Amino acid sequence: MQTSLTINGTARELDLDPRTSLLDALRHHLGLTGTKKGCDHGQCGACTALVNGRRVNACLSLLCMHDGDEVTTIEGLGQPGALSPMQQAFVEKDGFQCGYCTPGQICSATAMLEEIAQGWPSHVTEDLEAQPELTIEEISERMSGNLCRCSAYPNIVDAIRKAAGETA
Amino acid sequence: MTEQLKMDAPATDRRLDGMAQGLVGAPLDRPEGPLKVTGTATYADEYRIENLAHGMLVRAPGNSGRVRLANREAVAAMPGVLAVIHDPRLLRNPAQGTANKAPVQDPNEAHYLGQPVALVVAESFEQARHAAQSLEIALEGGAPRPVDPETAAYEPQPAKGVDQGDLDDAMAKATHSIDVTYRTPSHSSAPMEPHASIAQWEGEDLTLRGSYQMLKYNRNELADALGIHPDRVRILAPYVGGGFGSKLGLAPEAVAAAIAAKETGRPVSVALTRPQVFETTMRRSETRQRVRLTVDPEGRLTGIGQAALVSNLPGEVFSEPVLQATHFLYAGENRRLSLDLARVHRLCAGSVRAPGEAVGITVLECAMDELAEAAGIDPVELRRRNIPEKDPESGKEFSSRRFREALDSGAEAFGWKDRPATRSRREGEWWIGYGMASAARINVLKESRARVTLAPDGTARVETDMTDIGTGTYAILGQIAGEMLGLPRESVEVVLGDTDLPAAAGSGGSWGASSSGTSVYVACQAIRAQLAQRLGVAETDLTLRDGQAVFDNRTESLAAILNGDEIVKEGHVLPGETSKAVRQATFGAYFVEVAVNGVTGETRVRRMHGSFAAGRILNAKTARSQCLGGMIFGIGMALTEEMAFDDRDGHLANHNLAEYHIPVNADVPQITVELLEERDDWASPLQAKGIGELGICGAAGAIVNAIYNATGVRVRDFPATLDKVLAGL
Ligand code: FES
Ligand code: FES
């Protein structure tokens, strides 16, 4: 099935089995293995990528649903030697151990900061009308769709706070 | 070329303390970090290999009967299908850690529900998945088999127990005593990277890209399973997405991929689905533990009893070593520890992070909390009074042990003195309580090898088949080599995860860092000796720093000393007398504040602190992360993690991450960790001990004890879910 989309700024034409998920299209067909497969059914967040700027679980949608979309993967956020502030903060704060959940955490965190900037409330936001603050509680709540079995959570929170300070 | 060190005597020279580069212990970033945060570190199933075919395992729908592939021909004819493999060499379950030979291979009979019995190979992942789902497995002639450990036949494990003094007499005479039974459920390692292998043959030579923790053993296990010579097998695992015990031994997907690649003449990838990870890799055995403790009027333990029941599949020798650290943690002259192994047809039991202590010390520490309450003694004080002078069973000295300091320093850092009386502090709907527990884990050194090359330009390369499963191996081996050779961290390259390189101890049992680190140390010592020889000075008079050698008030660059030559040395460490002469272990203490909702019974961990002593810390940043990881596993154990088995056929009912609840970010506070300064000369010439598992060895007990302090509710059946807490509120 024919699908045209933009991935990390490059236009791509793909003709794949309609059963192919966005995740498998990235991993098996485009060599973009930075997006990880932790569960393949929407339970872990390892496959988080950005579609039109919003974070999604790439395992939960089929490639053919993304005709015309703009997809950004971890490879599009930065490269070794040219890390994004979020990637750099994860390295400095040891926001990972094995590294397998990490691209998903970083894509998720990057989009999450944007959601806060746009004033989206979360389950723990006290005042739904006010601009939410980047508290530890807000970060933890908003990052709870990204599992980390190495359990780097306290360091992930520290990394996001550091990155937010630098980019603010 | 090979320098060997057998650890027969304590390393009292503490050479690392005299080195000048200042790398060992420093909280340096992981050198591979930039690759991991950009998605450019390559894990097992991420190699772009031409003509790659995809395989999907198919599993038994029951735990008994002869396996028949009912519609094999129809599946073989499906689009894209290359092969349907039902080969007698397929593994029933993974090899146990360090097994070094193949586990049971029997795809013709079902032993547990979920057992891999066939593999479907197709051109694409989608085709393989569809065909595998279409393959019908019939089980013929089966009969009901035991699945409940509490009613199944069991085998006593006397070698793991002890019977010393008279515990019954101590119980009869004790001033205070407790006799309680706890239960812990099975746990899954649940690493975020599912187990995966890509197998590729070149003639009779097999290359396997896998997700494994202990390559030298895995290579022999794979060769044995296939019936080929180990020299024919190469395993590559430079990056491993977590293991926690589940990737210690060779698993079914590797053998299936190798057979399929041979049969189809193509490279084949087999990745487990998440439910397959839960059902075909190791579980931690559930436990039933009866604990008896007795104290005299001064609060000194006179008796310790711990009787544990664990389980495993028939044919598996592994029995969860529940009593491992109870043998030496506390004093008490009357001791009866026993372990029984029930035989059940549930999925295989094996190592999950800190086998033994994770559940054994957790339960012992809950029982100690009950004893403290019964005796009217503060829980920290009860533990302080019962630190034995020597190993209470063998009479051996402890190699190093800053247990008392961990208790005191942790209590101080946490603010333990403000602990509320039981069920006395309430904030709105929430009951607030404090709890604590001790941490203890055995320390082990294993045979390990590494090669270090000092190049003519004064840079170095470390090579070993050691793995980094998130444990920080890339960081610490570079730090040790840089320290010994006087090189900045950037001048040392570390190459791991390839069985063509010198064979290391592997990652597991918390022994990886000290064992593989020692092999690097030994190789570097030999390089230093050669440099000293070139300069005509004693090795001990040589100071190496920033690529320069300082000796006799002179300075010369390494490049000048090497004069175009390279120096290559292999270091080889073997455990020796120091493993037997003394009791080696790591210690610590956890402190926790919880809030328990008075309406719903929900528990939130509000604060958590750990103080740990594990010998010399090699990298303060990665060591801290290991402790955090262990403590957070403890949060899962205490509150949510439980494999739920069906009583009728033993099938795992919650085989995914939505139903098996590992902690998420919102479950975890900003935990604090203190690493106490310690040197253990008996453990290794690095004076380092293992730290990868210490964080979990009792942590869940501190949380459950805090729930009691908050609410007055004792939960003796882990995890402390809302229903169990609410029932007592
Ligand atoms: S792989 Fe997509 S959520 Fe787990
Ligand atoms: S870093 Fe290993 S799972 Fe998060």
Side-chain angles (χ1 to χ4, degrees), chain A residues 23 36-47 57-60:
Chain A
L23 176 60
K36 303 303 183 192
K37 183 185 284 192
C39 70
D40 214 12
H41 45 213
Q43 298 176 341
C44 76
C47 62
N57 287 338
C59 69
L60 278 190

Side-chain angles (χ1 to χ4, degrees), chain B residues 4 51 97 113 197 269 274 281 296-297 350 381 389 462 596 630 718:
Chain B
Q4 187 174 300
N51 216 19
L113 197 151
S197 290
S269 144
R274 181 52 63 178
T281 70
D296 67 11
E381 183 54 29
E389 201 185 313
V462 176
V596 182
F718 282 79

Side-chain angles (χ1 to χ4, degrees), chain A residues 95-102 105 147-152 156, chain B residues 191-193 241-242 244 469-470:
Chain A
F96 56 89
Q97 292 202 55
C98 76
Y100 199 77
C101 74
T102 312
Q105 301 279 359
L147 304 185
C148 177
R149 187 53 156 172
C150 296
S151 305
I156 289 170
Chain B
M192 290 315 301
E193 181 203 17
F244 316 110
I469 61 171

Side-chain angles (χ1 to χ4, degrees), chain A residues 17-21 24-25 27-41 43-46 74-76 78-84 86-88 90-103 105-106 136-137 139-141 143-158 160-161, chain B residues 29-30 32-43 45-48 54 124-127 129-130 187-194 239-242 244 273-275 352-353 468-472 621-622 624-630 632-633 636 641 655-671:
Chain A
D17 187 323
R19 295 170 292 188
T20 310
S21 68
D24 288 329
R27 287 174 65 82
H28 294 159
H29 299 281
L30 295 167
L32 293 170
T33 53
T35 311
K36 303 303 183 192
K37 183 185 284 192
C39 70
D40 214 12
H41 45 213
Q43 298 176 341
C44 76
I74 188 72
E75 291 93 343
Q79 285 293 317
L83 301 182
S84 76
M86 186 67 76
Q87 289 169 323
Q88 183 63 38
F90 266 70
V91 173
E92 285 172 23
K93 295 293 179 185
D94 215 31
F96 56 89
Q97 292 202 55
C98 76
Y100 199 77
C101 74
T102 312
Q105 301 279 359
I106 290 171
I136 289 172
E137 207 189 0
I139 295 172
S140 290
E141 169 63 24
M143 290 300 294
S144 282
N146 289 88
L147 304 185
C148 177
R149 187 53 156 172
C150 296
S151 305
Y153 299 126
N155 293 350
I156 289 170
V157 170
D158 284 347
I160 294 171
R161 294 171 77 197
Chain B
D29 295 345
R30 293 169 201 261
E32 82 286 10
L35 299 179
K36 286 179 173 173
V37 300
T38 55
T40 43
T42 312
Y43 298 81
D45 196 28
E46 299 182 343
Y47 289 85
R48 298 207 84 185
H54 296 264
S124 77
F125 172 74
E126 290 75 19
Q127 289 167 332
R129 183 178 54 191
H130 185 198
H187 301 128
S188 180
S189 290
M192 290 315 301
E193 181 203 17
Y239 296 100
V240 178
F244 316 110
T273 65
R274 181 52 63 178
V352 173
R353 199 172 197 167
D468 187 331
I469 61 171
T471 38
K621 185 178 286 194
T622 56
R624 173 178 171 274
S625 290
Q626 284 284 75
C627 294
L628 287 176
I632 295 168
F633 261 66
E641 287 188 42
H655 61 187
N656 60 71
L657 294 166
E659 291 166 290
Y660 181 90
H661 292 153
I662 68 170
V664 303
N665 204 317
D667 296 326
V668 178
Q670 293 304 91
I671 296 171

Side-chain angles (χ1 to χ4, degrees), chain A residues 53-66:
Chain A
R54 286 179 59 177
R55 49 179 170 164
V56 301
N57 287 338
C59 69
L60 278 190
S61 63
L62 298 170
L63 173 73
C64 58
M65 298 155 65
H66 291 286

Side-chain angles (χ1 to χ4, degrees), chain B residues 91 93 95 99-105 220-226 250:
Chain B
L91 303 188
N93 51 261
N100 222 24
K101 59 183 175 38
V104 174
Q105 297 168 280
N220 292 337
E221 290 153 4
L222 181 54
D224 187 34
L226 296 171
L250 193 80

